[in-house]
């Protein structure tokens, strides 16, 4: 099919298209455990018009098309399950607009979170966005597409909740704008008071369209930021502690972690509380309020605050945090993956005990982490395992542990986050049948030829 390569080269230029084995190998896998599958072609567009031409070509030739950010989801969401064209967005990395007064930015579909972070630091030091803890190469568009999380998740919800507008190339090749930008040049709302059509694209993993521009809400950057850690030795106390902390509305972010190594952490659950302010007085007031919120747990000797040394504080205040990278190579094999279901905060004890059980059952090193979402309405609980990629038996044990964790999370009322194809299938089988039929109708209406990232949300 040389004519496909030639046509793609005519669209984007010969240096930006390949069907060579080395590129196909690289684009056929991600850092997680999903089996690889090579694409037939890789293409790097530079404009919306080029993307439209590629989509129309894929439609005419009935070639699968997989849009890709940095490929860091760990869940196989951009592995081309049926070959076809991987459309790498990295050349479309412009920061098109920052409206300081209305607090939003507009970026192209391949713009990395690191580039936006650096741009705001340099030119708009009083503004920030919800920076995820993924590597800085992760893209803004891919992060919101998977309902990503960041440093403002506790206050504002998923990063997809912070979208203020979308520009999308539909599977037909047509260009569509979603939100206030459909009526004007202003990108301050992704929907309301209009019907919110962003749900046709966010969470669909590129199966309904390609995000070419994203409006993202910005938030005040405070002058000061600090962190404290509250420790309890029982997971049963964690939901109550979280309830009291979120009730103060003083915390910017709240994370929880538990792990057996190093021994200083063993047997304890660490609630990490971030707070910000513009003055020493404000910081002291917030710190005092957060401390007093947990007086009952301290008096009952159910927990207490630990001293956070400068070295540990520096690590915790990093954005994004690099500690996950260290954990990923604990087994010296470069393998790390987690199942991170979204659950109500009162399910923390159950998830914690299940993780302990899975680690023993499958003989794996683990790390538990959780992040509060939307002022305590839910949390992400990560069943995290590290493994040696050269050890086939360990890979298999990790797969079985993650599969069991996913099934368990669903059984206690959780929702899959960044679901693999297997998890998508399980979710479609379990959900209300009419809901599943509605999702199918949406996918078929937008992509009747089934060319967009096939395999995702198909229930196969």
């Amino acid at each position: 099919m040389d004519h496909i390569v030639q046509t793609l080269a005519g669209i984007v230029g010969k240096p930006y298209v390949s069907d060579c084995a080395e590129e196909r190998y690289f684009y056929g896998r991600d850092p997680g455990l999903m089996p690889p599958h090579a694409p037939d072609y890789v293409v790097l567009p530079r404009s919306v018009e080029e993307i439209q031409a590629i989509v129309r070509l894929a439609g005419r030739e009935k070639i699968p098309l997989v849009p890709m950010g940095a490929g860091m989801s760990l869940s196989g969401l951009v592995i081309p399950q049926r070959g076809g064209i991987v459309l790498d967005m990295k050349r479309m990395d412009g920061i098109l607009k920052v409206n300081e007064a209305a607090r939003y930015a507009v970026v192209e579909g391949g713009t990395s979170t690191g580039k936006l972070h650096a741009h705001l630091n340099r030119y708009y030091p009083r503004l920030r966005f919800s920076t995820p803890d993924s590597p800085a190469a992760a893209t803004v568009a891919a992060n919101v597409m998977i309902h990503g999380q960041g440093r403002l998740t506790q206050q504002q919800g998923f990063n997809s909740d912070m979208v203020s507008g979308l520009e999308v190339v539909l599977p037909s090749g047509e260009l569509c704008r979603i939100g206030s930008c459909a009526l004007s040049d202003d990108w301050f709302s992704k929907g309301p008071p209009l019907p919110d059509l962003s749900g046709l694209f966010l969470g669909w993993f590129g199966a309904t369209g390609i995000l070419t521009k994203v409006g993202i809400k910005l938030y005040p950057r405070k002058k000061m930021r600090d962190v404290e850690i509250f420790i309890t030795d029982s997971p049963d106390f964690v939901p109550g502690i979280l309830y009291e902390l979120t009730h103060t509305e003083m915390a910017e972010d709240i994370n929880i972690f538990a792990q057996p190594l190093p021994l200083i952490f063993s047997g304890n659950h660490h609630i990490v509380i971030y707070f910000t302010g513009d003055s020493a007085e404000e910081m002291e007031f917030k710190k005092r309020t957060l401390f007093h919120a947990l007086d009952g747990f301290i008096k009952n000797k159910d927990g207490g605050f630990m001293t956070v040394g400068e070295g540990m504080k520096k690590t915790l205040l990093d954005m994004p945090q690099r500690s996950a990278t260290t954990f990923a190579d604990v087994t010296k094999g470069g393998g790390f993956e987690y199942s991170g279901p979204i659950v109500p905060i009162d399910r923390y004890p159950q998830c914690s005990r299940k993780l302990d059980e899975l680690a023993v059952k499958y003989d794996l090193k683990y790390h538990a982490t959780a992040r509060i979402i939307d002022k305590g309405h839910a949390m992400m609980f990560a069943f995290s395992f590290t493994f040696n990629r050269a050890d086939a038996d360990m890979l298999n044990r990790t797969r079985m542990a993650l599969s069991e964790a996913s099934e368990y999370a669903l059984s206690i009322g959780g929702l899959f986050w960044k679901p693999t194809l297997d998890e998508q299938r399980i979710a479609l089988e379990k959900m209300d049948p009419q809901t599943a039929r509605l999702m199918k109708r949406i996918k078929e209406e937008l992509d009747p030829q089934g060319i967009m990232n096939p395999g995702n949300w198909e229930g196969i």
Side-chain angles (χ1 to χ4, degrees), residues 194-242:
L194 297 170
D196 189 352
L197 301 179
S198 65
L200 295 173
F201 307 100
L202 300 177
W204 286 87
F205 314 137
T208 54
I210 300 171
L211 304 188
T212 53
K213 294 184 180 68
V214 176
I216 194 79
K217 293 180 182 178
L218 306 176
Y219 297 89
R221 182 196 302 270
K222 298 292 187 176
K223 295 177 182 177
M224 302 176 184
R225 188 165 178 261
D226 206 349
V227 61
E228 297 290 344
I229 298 180
F230 190 82
I231 296 179
T232 180
D233 61 3
S234 172
D236 295 323
F237 295 127
V238 172
I241 293 168
L242 296 174

Side-chain angles (χ1 to χ4, degrees), residues 249-291:
E249 298 189 309
M250 294 290 177
E252 171 201 71
D253 193 19
I254 304 174
N255 298 330
I256 308 97
F257 74 88
Q259 60 191 64
L261 294 173
L263 291 177
I264 189 175
F265 295 141
S266 181
N268 289 318
H269 301 263
H270 305 75
I271 295 91
V272 186
I273 311 157
Y274 296 87
F275 55 102
T276 60
D278 284 325
S279 66
E281 292 79 12
E282 182 182 358
M283 293 292 284
E284 181 59 31
F285 171 74
K286 287 184 174 180
K287 181 176 179 178
R288 189 167 60 247
T289 302
L290 290 163
F291 271 53

Side-chain angles (χ1 to χ4, degrees), residues 180 186 233 342 426:
S180 59
D186 292 308
D233 61 3
I342 309 302
I426 293 168

